[in-house]
Amino acid sequence: MKAKIHVTLKNGVLDPQGKAIEHSLASLNFEGVDAVRQGKYFEIDLHGTDKATAEKNVDEMCKRLIANTVIENYSIDIEE
Amino acid sequence: MKAKIHVTLKNGVLDPQGKAIEHSLASLNFEGVDAVRQGKYFEIDLHGTDKATAEKNVDEMCKRLIANTVIENYSIDIEE
């Protein structure tokens, strides 16, 4: 089973990496870019549980280790 | 229009961040974790083009700036 996790900055939290990419794209003459936001992406391979338990476990992993819930949101997709 | 980009390390490329998370999860007593891989995730807001052109532009952005194609793969989803 595989868990795919997206961690993104909450709205209103400054994203200097995203801004840097935005400026670099502009200096490379890419047009039509309004905004860039950078987040993190994790793939976790799991074994030995059903989907519901896996989802609960991964949610706990995000809260305790993977995401900083003060400034970040996370979303979880579990694939069989 | 919004482009969602996933950048992940190619198979065989060492992922020390992923390994560190894997070990941390083990020391937090999470069981059933086989492997963790960390990647990057970008959201780019775009205007003024149709979907096909946007996809072509974003592909060019990935090649020139966002992904290091020597060691990374990328995938692009365009949402209207």
Side-chain angles (χ1 to χ4, degrees):
Chain A
M1 209 174 296
K2 182 172 274 202
K4 297 184 173 185
I5 304 165
H6 290 86
V7 176
T8 49
L9 287 169
K10 288 186 178 174
N11 282 336
V13 177
L14 284 180
D15 178 7
Q17 283 186 298
K19 278 282 166 210
I21 295 168
E22 208 176 306
H23 292 306
S24 300
L25 288 175
S27 41
L28 290 169
N29 294 319
F30 285 108
E31 281 166 15
V33 175
D34 290 327
V36 181
R37 300 281 283 174
Q38 174 161 8
K40 281 175 278 186
Y41 172 65
F42 302 89
E43 289 181 356
I44 303 185
D45 292 330
L46 298 160
H47 69 263
T49 47
D50 58 300
K51 197 170 167 177
T53 317
E55 195 151 355
K56 213 178 118 217
N57 277 347
V58 173
D59 188 74
E60 188 70 22
M61 290 176 198
C62 287
K63 287 207 179 93
R64 290 188 59 191
L65 183 73
I66 293 171
N68 174 355
T69 53
V70 178
I71 56 166
E72 292 171 332
N73 292 321
Y74 61 89
S75 67
I76 300 167
D77 292 306
I78 307 277
E79 286 176 7
E80 303 280 347
Chain B
M1 210 175 298
K2 180 172 276 200
K4 297 185 172 184
I5 303 166
H6 289 87
V7 177
T8 51
L9 287 168
K10 287 186 178 174
N11 282 336
V13 178
L14 285 181
D15 177 7
Q17 283 186 298
K19 278 284 166 210
I21 295 168
E22 208 176 305
H23 292 305
S24 301
L25 288 174
S27 41
L28 289 169
N29 295 317
F30 285 107
E31 282 166 14
V33 176
D34 290 327
V36 181
R37 299 282 283 173
Q38 175 161 7
K40 281 174 278 187
Y41 172 64
F42 301 89
E43 288 181 356
I44 303 185
D45 292 331
L46 298 160
H47 69 263
T49 47
D50 58 300
K51 198 171 167 177
T53 317
E55 195 151 356
K56 212 178 121 219
N57 277 347
V58 173
D59 188 73
E60 188 70 23
M61 289 175 199
C62 287
K63 287 206 181 94
R64 290 187 60 192
L65 182 72
I66 292 171
N68 175 355
T69 52
V70 177
I71 57 167
E72 292 172 330
N73 292 322
Y74 62 88
S75 67
I76 299 167
D77 291 306
I78 306 277
E79 286 177 7
E80 304 279 351

